[in-house]
Amino acid sequence: MDNVATHTNRLAGETSPYLLQHQHNPVDWWPWGPEALAEAQKTGKPILLSVGYAACHWCHVMAHESFEDEATAAVMNELFVPIKVDREERPDIDQIYMNALHLLGEQGGWPLTMFLTPDGAPVWGGTYFPKTAQYGRAAFVDVLRELARIFRDEPDKIAGNKEALTRSLAQRNPADAASIGLNELDNAAGSIARATDPTNGGLRGAPKFPQCAMLEFLWRAGARTSDERYFITTNLALTRMSEGGIYDHLGGGYARYSVDARWLVPHFEKMLYDNAQILDMLALEHARAPNALYRQRAEETVDWLKREMLTKEGGFASSLDADSEGEEGKFYVWSQAEIAQLLGPEDPTFFAGKSGITAKGNFEGHNIPNRLDHDSETATESEQLAALRAILFRAREKRIRPGLDDKTLADWNGLTIAALAHAANAFDRPDWLTLACTVFGFVTTTMSRHDRLRHSWRAGKLLQPALASDHASMIRAALALHEATGDHLFLDQAILWQADLDTHYGDPQHGGYYLTSDDAEGLILRPHSSVDDAIPNHTGLTAQNLARLAVLTGDERWRRQLDTLFARMLPIAAANMFGHLSLLNALDLYLTGAEIVVTGQGEEAEALLGAARALPHANTIILHVPDPAKLPSHHPAADKVKPGSGAAAFVCRNQTCSLPVTEPDALTALVLREDASSANHRLQ
């Protein structure tokens, strides 16, 4: 143990809030990097890799039980080189070793606990390990000692596991040729819809995640087929999660997921990416069919984003912790007595009846405010409820707050910027568009070096080269802002980022994109996955971006590039359609989306653009050509433009355009009528 005493915890100099949570552990943590790997190879010790994130409840549990325990830490320090990784800061590392865990037959999750050879190759792992043996799970110290023994006494076994896992991780079997078209999209949508919960929305059972890529896929099926059942299915999920305890009825914003089947009991952490995607879905459905609940939830969620997630520098923070004062959800739950004391003798009964509050509580003796079982109320009652919620919110603000992970991630901010742009149009909130532009400016200036995007920023420090996900999300944001404003600076930036993505991340051999750039830090392999995670995969987002770039630039190279991407990636998606919904959403946009071309300038053109931007954003692409003479000659609307005829709009699908319309209402009716006509034609 004398050798161990010379080591120290090395996390104090990091910027990641998650790593800083562990800076005082008696564990001799190293951050991931060449120094840590060199230490492992110098000492010959295996690596204990622990991956988590700041808002992760079970990460906190394992930290309190084991990493803060002197005796457990001593065993870790003696037998291993411990390395701590923030999965949000280094999703490339997380993806590699989480895939390795899946290959071992484990479901996965966080904390991710992996045992590696000194050169970083995975051998074995798991997720949460209890400090003491329980429920058939070995104690963490026993696991440590046994793994160290195997490394020492059974090198052949270690070598065999290393070889098998490394070979499987690197394996890229070519997919069998498979065709996916409109019929396959319809069949997949029908299958998913049948798997949803007819009472509560979302997939059947528990836990329940928002799964916005799935909701968008079902929404697109409704738009594509004119089958209202898909819209009903999407609406049910959005409505129930907006009424359930997964939504913060006092402060706004949605939690990560619901642990039950009713959306009542959340896992209380709030992630930026969930709220971005839900806001995007609220905007999409409200644009199709205005909904007062969705407007209220969108406004409250954006207020929460501005109040609690917007950093003083101008970017959005990553997450709010589930825990406060060492207890999950303590900040958010109430007793009936607390509410009665704050609201007075009469109002508590009214509020309790509308918010699911009981003397026994609706969650482990506590109450989570919700609206799942509420009756409708009058306008006066709605105002009264809002006033009572405000009283409780002000009281809650005096509690000890959950921790804020205030690092700014380019990919999550890109999702949020695009959602704000879409919501600004759907809910007629130009101030949200201004906010989106401000955050976009922060990412493009502060989070770039030498014209190259970076992944993470915190405390004045830029960390890690950008990932493919950063480019895909920020390109999407740039295109959304271009369509919402007509400003070509956004389009120019999108083109530059797409060129960078193609140059440094493209995989010409297999198709698609690596997660890391060709000049990034070398890992045991370059991670490459097309499967959606909690956020849409960069491959699916890139396909959507290419579809829009083809229209917005008039450059056919983007369409050819998209055709190639689909040819390479759709056969892979065919084997796992549910895991590739963002790619299938891109295919739907490409095959059925409405290209709305507005020519001319002045008030008439702005009115037409306003009508176009108020339409659902998922299946429309808006091209403004102020000078009709500059419409490319190969464009199908070119021969319909009459010189000197003033502002006009055309709706184009499949290289065929409508006659010009000059009234905003006529444009809206034309798009919706063509949607229905196209669907009816396919159903015949």
Side-chain angles (χ1 to χ4, degrees), residues 420-435:
L420 284 169
H422 296 149
N425 288 329
F427 297 105
D428 192 21
R429 291 294 303 263
D431 55 317
W432 295 355
L433 185 58
T434 300
L435 174 61

Side-chain angles (χ1 to χ4, degrees), residues 117-144:
T117 60
D119 61 356
V123 174
W124 190 78
T127 52
Y128 162 76
F129 289 96
K131 181 181 177 182
T132 58
Q134 56 183 256
Y135 308 119
R137 305 186 68 170
F140 187 45
V141 167
D142 293 339
V143 172
L144 296 174

Side-chain angles (χ1 to χ4, degrees), residues 227-467:
D227 189 335
E228 286 290 326
R229 290 174 295 181
Y230 290 115
F231 293 130
I232 292 170
T233 301
T234 302
N235 264 286
L236 178 61
L238 283 175
T239 299
R240 296 293 284 178
M241 71 173 73
S242 294
E243 293 176 332
I246 190 175
Y247 181 75
D248 181 357
H249 291 260
L250 301 184
Y254 295 79
R256 172 80 272 263
Y257 63 88
S258 168
V259 302
D260 66 316
R262 296 184 65 228
W263 305 101
L264 172 62
V265 182
H267 185 37
F268 287 90
E269 67 198 46
K270 289 183 184 177
M271 311 301 294
L272 180 65
Y273 58 74
D274 284 320
N275 285 278
Q277 293 176 87
I278 294 172
L279 177 62
D280 210 63
M281 281 303 306
L282 294 174
L284 179 61
E285 177 54 17
H286 183 83
R288 184 192 73 88
N291 186 306
L293 173 65
Y294 296 172
R295 174 179 288 278
Q296 181 181 355
R297 293 296 179 261
E299 291 175 343
E300 292 166 347
T301 297
V302 176
D303 286 346
W304 166 73
L305 285 171
K306 293 190 294 185
R307 184 182 65 247
E308 300 188 30
M309 302 301 285
L310 188 63
T311 68
K312 64 181 184 296
E313 294 81 9
F316 284 114
S318 295
S319 65
L320 278 173
D321 207 330
D323 296 15
S324 56
E325 301 181 74
E327 183 177 331
E328 182 182 5
K330 186 172 183 179
F331 181 78
Y332 297 100
V333 298
W334 299 82
S335 69
Q336 190 180 63
E338 286 177 301
I339 292 175
Q341 184 178 9
L342 288 165
L343 300 186
E346 297 180 4
D347 287 336
T349 301
F350 171 69
F351 182 82
K354 296 291 186 179
S355 304
I357 308 299
T358 68
K360 293 182 179 180
N362 55 32
F363 167 64
E364 297 182 352
H366 303 286
N367 286 288
I368 302 169
N370 70 90
R371 302 279 286 153
L372 287 171
D373 300 314
H374 78 284
D375 298 323
S376 60
E377 60 265 348
T378 65
T380 300
E381 289 175 327
S382 295
E383 292 179 4
Q384 183 182 0
L385 277 173
L388 298 178
R389 286 196 298 269
I391 293 171
L392 295 180
F393 172 76
R394 289 192 293 270
R396 195 179 76 175
E397 286 293 279
K398 299 175 183 177
R399 296 177 175 178
I400 296 176
R401 299 186 58 79
L404 173 70
D405 185 332
D406 60 350
K407 67 177 178 291
T408 300
L409 301 176
D411 48 1
W412 298 6
N413 271 257
L415 293 175
T416 310
I417 293 165
L420 284 169
H422 296 149
N425 288 329
F427 297 105
D428 192 21
R429 291 294 303 263
D431 55 317
W432 295 355
L433 185 58
T434 300
L435 174 61
C437 292
T438 299
V439 178
F440 184 88
F442 170 81
V443 176
T444 53
T445 56
T446 307
M447 296 188 67
S448 297
R449 284 291 183 272
H450 309 297
D451 296 325
R452 296 285 299 278
L453 194 60
R454 305 296 286 268
H455 174 61
S456 177
W457 183 94
R458 184 180 182 273
K461 294 182 180 179
L462 269 180
L463 298 176
Q464 308 309 324
L467 303 165

Side-chain angles (χ1 to χ4, degrees), residues 357-651:
I357 308 299
T358 68
K360 293 182 179 180
N362 55 32
F363 167 64
E364 297 182 352
H366 303 286
N367 286 288
I368 302 169
N370 70 90
R371 302 279 286 153
L372 287 171
D373 300 314
H374 78 284
D375 298 323
S376 60
E377 60 265 348
T378 65
T380 300
E381 289 175 327
S382 295
E383 292 179 4
Q384 183 182 0
L385 277 173
L388 298 178
R389 286 196 298 269
I391 293 171
L392 295 180
F393 172 76
R394 289 192 293 270
R396 195 179 76 175
E397 286 293 279
K398 299 175 183 177
R399 296 177 175 178
I400 296 176
R401 299 186 58 79
L404 173 70
D405 185 332
D406 60 350
K407 67 177 178 291
T408 300
L409 301 176
D411 48 1
W412 298 6
N413 271 257
L415 293 175
T416 310
I417 293 165
L420 284 169
H422 296 149
N425 288 329
F427 297 105
D428 192 21
R429 291 294 303 263
D431 55 317
W432 295 355
L433 185 58
T434 300
L435 174 61
C437 292
T438 299
V439 178
F440 184 88
F442 170 81
V443 176
T444 53
T445 56
T446 307
M447 296 188 67
S448 297
R449 284 291 183 272
H450 309 297
D451 296 325
R452 296 285 299 278
L453 194 60
R454 305 296 286 268
H455 174 61
S456 177
W457 183 94
R458 184 180 182 273
K461 294 182 180 179
L462 269 180
L463 298 176
Q464 308 309 324
L467 303 165
S469 58
D470 298 312
H471 284 83
S473 292
M474 285 304 300
I475 293 167
R476 181 172 185 265
L479 296 176
L481 290 176
H482 170 67
E483 291 188 62
T485 66
D487 190 334
H488 275 263
L489 290 177
F490 295 118
L491 180 59
D492 294 342
Q493 184 63 72
I495 293 170
L496 289 174
W497 279 333
Q498 185 63 47
D500 197 30
L501 179 64
D502 293 335
T503 300
H504 294 288
Y505 300 80
D507 181 359
Q509 181 180 356
H510 303 97
Y513 297 87
Y514 290 103
L515 181 61
T516 55
S517 64
D518 55 6
D519 53 358
E521 170 196 353
L523 302 172
I524 61 169
L525 53 83
R526 285 180 76 184
H528 189 303
S529 173
S530 56
V531 176
D532 296 323
D533 200 342
I535 65 173
N537 185 270
H538 55 267
T539 305
L541 290 183
T542 298
Q544 296 181 38
N545 294 337
L546 291 173
R548 292 184 183 276
L549 280 169
V551 171
L552 297 173
T553 65
D555 190 336
E556 285 299 302
R557 67 181 169 124
W558 301 119
R559 196 179 304 277
R560 292 192 297 270
Q561 186 172 330
L562 180 55
D563 287 335
T564 300
L565 182 65
F566 278 143
R568 303 295 292 276
M569 304 310 296
L570 286 178
I572 297 173
N576 177 13
M577 294 184 73
F578 191 82
H580 290 82
L581 292 179
S582 66
L583 184 66
L584 301 184
N585 287 336
L587 180 63
D588 173 77
L589 173 65
Y590 189 47
L591 296 178
T592 71
E595 176 186 341
I596 303 173
V597 183
V598 176
T599 60
Q601 303 180 66
E603 293 182 2
E604 292 84 0
E606 288 301 319
L608 290 169
L609 286 168
R613 290 165 180 158
L615 290 163
H617 61 267
N619 58 354
T620 56
I621 305 174
I622 302 168
L623 173 63
H624 182 207
V625 186
D627 182 358
K630 293 185 178 180
L631 193 66
S633 59
H634 64 267
H635 195 283
D639 62 351
K640 293 181 170 60
V641 177
K642 297 179 180 179
S645 60
F650 306 83
V651 178

